Amino acid sequence: MAKANKNKQNIQPLFDNVLVKPLRPEEKTASGIYLPETAQEKPQMAEVVAVGPGTTDENGKFVAMQVKVGDTVLYKKWGGDEIKIGFEDWILLKQENILAIVK
């Protein structure tokens, strides 16, 4: 487990990319019924673990990152690329695929 966390620290996203750790989906319904993993919805909330430096727009103006490490974010359902580091799943997505910061 510690090895996967060490690998994560070696990943520095480029441009406006953000590395996130998906939060685990609910394992049971509000009425208390436990869902098997195959029936659980794909999570859309994640914790930001690394961010790129930002990018430039079509006019060459610098676009700063709006999220920071430690933020909990809501992202597009099919946004980003799923990657596996060690035994852990991560998602690398563009800042434009992040819909909101959850407070």
Side-chain angles (χ1 to χ4, degrees), residues 9-75:
Q9 294 172 355
N10 293 331
I11 296 176
Q12 175 59 53
L14 300 175
F15 309 110
D16 63 339
N17 289 301
V18 180
L19 181 66
V20 298
K21 177 71 176 156
L23 299 178
R24 301 201 48 84
E26 290 295 323
E27 295 180 1
K28 66 178 181 175
T29 64
S31 61
I33 299 171
Y34 284 91
L35 299 171
E37 192 170 316
T38 54
Q40 295 173 4
E41 275 210 33
K42 182 178 176 183
Q44 286 181 261
M45 286 182 60
E47 179 183 353
V48 175
V49 294
V51 297
T55 190
T56 55
D57 65 13
E58 59 276 351
N59 297 322
K61 183 179 173 191
F62 180 72
V63 178
M65 298 300 285
Q66 300 296 308
V67 297
K68 61 186 181 310
V69 173
D71 283 347
T72 299
V73 296
L74 180 65
Y75 59 92

